Amino acid sequence: QVQLVESGGGLVQAGGSLRLSCAASARTFDYYAVGWFRQAPGKERDFVAAVGWSTTSTRYADSVKGRFTISRDSAKNTVYLQMNNLLIEDTAVYYCAGARSLPGVLPPAQGGSYDYWGQGTQVTVSS
């Protein structure tokens, strides 16, 4: 069982930045792909970004490419989502999710591929 805890959400003006963190309880977190998803009120959950075993194995939603960066710190069992140039439409609850993976495998973008989820952290972007 893996427990994931998100933090770093908050209120920020459009054009600002936030860094979300996803801390994991598992010592074998390095063997997990980690994805970030978001859900705005009244909308479906959307894929944002994901990272595989290696930080070089990443994928992003088109809407965040060039603005968001996902990374992982193995020593801290933590995955980060650096969000720059935030837009009002980035407002949502952000969730991190984990799935056992293999080296060299691109992390999945489908929520159904993930087994463990955090409780979410609210990100609100104001004008």
Side-chain angles (χ1 to χ4, degrees), residues 11-97:
L11 175 64
V12 63
Q13 285 190 325
S17 298
L18 282 174
R19 188 178 77 160
L20 304 183
S21 299
C22 174
S25 61
R27 292 184 177 182
T28 57
F29 196 46
D30 283 355
Y31 306 149
Y32 285 75
V34 178
W36 284 97
F37 295 80
R38 66 187 181 187
Q39 187 166 22
K43 295 187 177 181
E44 294 185 350
R45 183 180 62 195
D46 289 331
F47 169 75
V48 176
V51 62
W53 275 40
S54 168
T55 303
T56 60
S57 179
T58 58
R59 64 197 305 169
Y60 296 90
D62 288 342
S63 59
V64 306
K65 280 181 182 177
R67 300 189 298 120
F68 290 12
T69 303
I70 190 169
S71 62
R72 65 190 311 160
D73 184 335
S74 298
K76 296 183 178 180
N77 263 8
T78 300
V79 170
Y80 302 100
L81 184 69
Q82 178 66 44
M83 305 187 295
N84 298 328
N85 191 22
L86 283 160
L87 308 173
I88 292 176
E89 49 263 43
D90 293 321
T91 296
V93 177
Y94 284 70
Y95 300 90
C96 70

